[in-house]
Amino acid sequence: MQAVIVRGMKEDIKRLQAIRNIGFIAHIDAGKTTTTERVLFYTGRVHRIGEVDEGTATTDWMPQEKERGITITSAATYCKWGNYRINIIDTPGHVDFTAEVERSLKVLDGAIVILCAQGGVEPQSETVWRQADKYEVPRIVFVNKMDKVGADLFNCEREIGEKLGAIPLVMQLPIYKDDQFVGVIDLLKEKTVYYEDEAGIGYSYREIPGDLISLAKEYREKMIEKLSERDDSVMERFIEGKQIPEAKLIDSIRKLTLSRQIFPVFCGSALKNKGIQLLLDGICRYLPSPLDKPLVSVFDQEGNKREIEIIKSSFFCGLCFKVAIDPYVGKLNYVRIYSGKIESGSYLYNSTKKIRERVNKIVRMHANKQELIEKAFSGEIVCLAGLKDTTTGDTLCEEGKTLLLEKIHFPEPVISQAIEPVFRKDQDKLSLALAKLAEEDPTFRVFYNSETGQTIISGMGKLHLEIAVDKLKRFFGIETSVGKPQVAFRETITKKVVAKGEFIQQTGGKGHFARVILSLQPQDSLGIDFESKIKGGVIPQNFIPAVKKGVEEASLSGVLGGYPVTNLKVTLIDGAYHEVDSSDLDFQVAGNIAFTEGLKQANPVLLEPIMKLEVLVALEYLSPVLGDLNSKRAKIISIKDKANVKLIQAYIPLREVFDYADNLRNLTQGRGSYSMEPAFYERVPEEILHRVLGV
């Protein structure tokens, strides 16, 4: 029996060592989906190369993605390369859909950052890099579009160091013939790789051309120097002038990649079918298996955080990182399995919501296609059908286990607009559809403004809301009319106060009694943090969640303009109850009243979203563009030279740049380009405040 268990463990370890859970992340239009498509083709997962521009890419399956030629939702698929199984998530590059990147990186073991050889490290490249830093994800870099005019691998190398603060390890150099990109120099093997057909299927290793030998030697020495600075075993051989075996270099690169001390840099052209097979080799060699990231952050019942190694545990534990509504099978929960196994028909315990769930079906996803499987094991990414109440960020465990995995934190929406159905009969249908969209996307919010009687939807940008409205029409058959997009302002306070809320009604018979005293104080982090410091049973513990609920309800509408309240710590410090007349509802109302009263006393102010803006413009248009930005309350951070244009970096209120695309086009005769992303919230100036509030 013991021998069977040991053999089973060895087989499981061997299986885990061959798994790569990876994602492609990048700035918009760097070539993530095109690269994913080539990976699927060369691994035999698809038999015809799809193209983004033609709307035939495997992972861009949504109608909106096909029409716009951009990725909107992260798509999961898988393939095999040699003995390795690669689970892939292709993520969006557009800043409006950054939540898809956030939740993907939470569950991935490694990532491929794709850079455009022309654009280098672009704004969204920096954003996704920081997101990967947050989740401590090892990365390799693929410099794509080496066939384009102005492609510059060495500029990308420099910007990785300067903009990302990372150590790039150049693994390949490009080869050009008559200005055409024809192959790469493999610095590890000290050979060139030439592609022999247009589809990039056939390639061969040859000697390095004479005119490139010195450059190849220089970069190979740089590679070994960087390794020796961080790996003593390489340093010893390097100092002694000994030949370092290829296998030794591979081991060193892998070790330093996993610890995020270096980031291997590959190059190629996905569109021209060059460099993908070597990239696949790099993914398998250098990116981690689930065994390489054994520690997972968990919380116990008391809320204490600790790191435990659960990968080899026998009990099931997984994280739901995405919910998708499928028109045929209903709700699909994307789950990363961290330990144990699961079978269709079994029951799970949702330790986040403390409920029991039944798994009707387990499917492995290939974009929007489903492959039914009976079992799934640790290290895998699968979809579970049949879970009724599980949502994004929930922990799923074996029954009897109560672990809580660390939740995913999503950015706050920055733009809102009113929405209503064209036909009154669709009102209930619209409410249900919006609830489903909000369940799928944690950065899409819906709330009802009782003062105006309007349903308000909020998201990360104009495109985000456009896609949501389009989904309502295509998927749910609901025609809607929407208001003009509005900035998602927030309210906060500027001083600490103590406020009392009472709900007391005693008119004979059972009455209502609840008294709540709250401390409100400003804090730097977004959202509302609630804490109870009640001692001695002044308020029974079972009423405290009701107080919290009342505070949360009140925080949805502030006292200045009815905007949600944020950057606030609320502490329940005192109160009173009645043994007969007090109820949950009474304390909910009292909590609501105390919070609202506290806001009025605490010098409330309005906050507006500030965007980080980057504008590329020719020198001749620099002055008018700067003048326009200054008129829009922009704070210029820097003006740099980039190739033959000027790069302007600035912080600017979102309210000022709703129509910036048209504005910039007019100022530069269509020759300027820009990108922007949410940066932070900032207090609205007094003169603007009166305009916003209409006072």
Side-chain angles (χ1 to χ4, degrees), residues 328-485:
Y328 303 107
V329 299
K331 191 165 77 168
L332 285 172
N333 292 80
Y334 284 71
V335 174
R336 163 69 194 266
I337 304 175
Y338 286 100
S339 67
K341 69 175 182 178
I342 186 172
E343 298 182 20
S344 59
S346 60
Y347 284 89
L348 293 175
Y349 181 68
N350 182 324
S351 55
T352 305
K353 292 192 169 65
K354 298 180 171 55
I355 53 172
R356 196 172 183 240
E357 293 270 40
R358 186 176 189 272
V359 180
N360 292 337
K361 287 194 294 186
I362 307 172
V363 294
R364 193 170 277 135
M365 299 301 293
H366 177 49
N368 62 329
K369 297 180 177 64
Q370 300 162 16
E371 299 172 7
L372 202 62
I373 56 176
E374 288 301 312
K375 298 177 183 177
F377 300 87
S378 59
E380 295 189 40
I381 294 173
V382 295
C383 278
L384 306 182
L387 308 185
K388 292 180 179 178
D389 299 305
T390 297
T391 54
T392 300
D394 286 359
T395 300
L396 296 167
C397 285
E398 200 172 286
E399 290 193 88
K401 300 292 180 182
T402 54
L403 285 180
L404 266 178
L405 295 168
E406 197 169 25
K407 293 197 78 167
I408 312 167
H409 297 285
F410 295 102
E412 286 291 308
V414 295
I415 188 171
S416 302
Q417 63 186 160
I419 188 169
E420 62 183 26
V422 171
F423 306 107
R424 190 176 292 275
K425 65 181 178 64
D426 286 336
Q427 183 61 58
D428 290 342
K429 195 176 171 184
L430 175 63
S431 298
L432 288 171
L434 288 173
K436 286 183 177 180
L437 291 181
E439 188 176 11
E440 281 189 310
D441 183 353
T443 58
F444 179 78
R445 310 276 175 83
V446 183
F447 69 96
Y448 180 74
N449 189 322
S450 55
E451 290 183 12
T452 62
Q454 292 177 310
T455 299
I456 307 295
I457 57 175
S458 301
M460 298 306 297
K462 285 176 72 175
L463 179 61
H464 191 193
L465 296 186
E466 280 174 23
I467 297 295
V469 171
D470 193 42
K471 281 183 180 178
L472 292 171
K473 182 178 180 180
R474 290 187 198 241
F475 299 157
F476 299 98
I478 305 169
E479 294 279 352
T480 59
S481 60
V482 294
K484 187 179 177 183

Side-chain angles (χ1 to χ4, degrees), residues 188-381:
L188 206 59
K189 292 185 179 296
E190 296 184 274
K191 298 281 186 182
T192 59
V193 179
Y194 285 97
Y195 291 84
E196 294 161 355
D197 55 76
E198 206 170 292
I201 297 170
Y203 60 96
S204 60
Y205 281 91
R206 304 181 202 168
E207 295 303 316
I208 299 173
D211 60 331
L212 292 174
I213 288 175
S214 62
L215 183 65
K217 189 172 283 188
E218 176 192 342
Y219 266 84
R220 181 177 164 84
E221 284 179 5
K222 278 185 180 180
M223 179 177 73
I224 293 173
E225 280 176 19
K226 285 183 180 180
L227 295 176
S228 65
E229 287 169 6
R230 295 161 182 84
D231 187 333
D232 291 343
S233 62
V234 176
M235 180 181 279
E236 285 174 21
R237 289 176 176 269
F238 181 63
I239 291 172
E240 293 168 8
K242 291 181 180 177
Q243 185 70 24
I244 305 174
E246 184 181 325
K248 177 63 188 170
L249 290 174
I250 289 172
D251 286 346
S252 179
I253 295 168
R254 176 174 173 74
K255 182 175 71 174
L256 295 172
T257 302
L258 296 186
S259 60
R260 304 186 314 284
Q261 294 182 62
I262 55 116
F263 299 88
V265 178
F266 296 79
C267 66
S269 169
L271 188 64
K272 298 298 182 182
N273 309 315
K274 291 177 174 64
I276 304 302
Q277 294 95 330
L278 301 184
L279 176 63
L280 278 162
D281 288 339
I283 289 168
C284 298
R285 279 177 177 170
Y286 307 124
L287 289 182
S289 75
L291 286 174
D292 292 311
K293 298 186 74 180
L295 294 178
V296 178
S297 294
V298 299
F299 294 86
D300 58 25
Q301 291 286 33
E302 286 72 44
N304 299 315
K305 181 179 176 180
R306 66 185 195 277
E307 288 194 326
I308 64 169
E309 187 174 343
I310 64 171
I311 187 72
K312 296 175 188 174
S313 303
S314 59
F315 65 85
F316 176 84
C317 184
L319 180 73
C320 173
F321 66 95
K322 178 174 176 171
V323 174
I325 308 298
D326 186 277
Y328 303 107
V329 299
K331 191 165 77 168
L332 285 172
N333 292 80
Y334 284 71
V335 174
R336 163 69 194 266
I337 304 175
Y338 286 100
S339 67
K341 69 175 182 178
I342 186 172
E343 298 182 20
S344 59
S346 60
Y347 284 89
L348 293 175
Y349 181 68
N350 182 324
S351 55
T352 305
K353 292 192 169 65
K354 298 180 171 55
I355 53 172
R356 196 172 183 240
E357 293 270 40
R358 186 176 189 272
V359 180
N360 292 337
K361 287 194 294 186
I362 307 172
V363 294
R364 193 170 277 135
M365 299 301 293
H366 177 49
N368 62 329
K369 297 180 177 64
Q370 300 162 16
E371 299 172 7
L372 202 62
I373 56 176
E374 288 301 312
K375 298 177 183 177
F377 300 87
S378 59
E380 295 189 40
I381 294 173

